[in-house]
Amino acid sequence: MNRFGTVNGVAAAKNETVTARKEMANLRTRCVAWFQNCMAAFVAFVSCMIWRLNAFALNIDTNYTVKASVANVNPEGLVLGVSFWICRLIGIGMFIWGLYGYITARRGGDSEAMNGAMNTLIGGLALVCMPSILKAVGII
């Protein structure tokens, strides 16, 4: 055995090569995990930039009027605008919550949870579309 721990170029202990392979595998695993985290952050950033919701834009310029109103002053329009804005915010939250619940229930195969999540989805969608529904029915 020479001073490098080898006999005729062969490693004296196989533990050294096994340890080196494990270290390389650990390094590769950490690099892959770092790359996946970077890609997830990039996709989240791009998704936020492309698919941003305009939910926080308070649209008070549209005049919602109750058809039975005869006065020139329209405080109902302001109240309806603010209430529809709040309904849209709650509806977006319910829609996202229902979508997550449906996906997790579908993965678990729980039909009762899928039914509840679908009800939450429909309720959230109805809250988001509240002004359009009320205009179609003829209330506003």
Side-chain angles (χ1 to χ4, degrees), residues 48-86:
C48 287
M49 295 304 292
I50 292 175
W51 300 104
R52 63 184 174 197
L53 292 174
N54 200 6
F56 296 107
L58 183 58
N59 191 8
I60 298 180
D61 292 336
T62 23
N63 290 326
Y64 298 110
T65 58
V66 178
K67 296 210 175 186
S69 177
V70 291
N72 290 335
V73 181
N74 189 14
E76 298 96 2
L78 180 63
V79 171
L80 286 174
V82 171
S83 62
F84 288 151
W85 179 69
I86 293 170

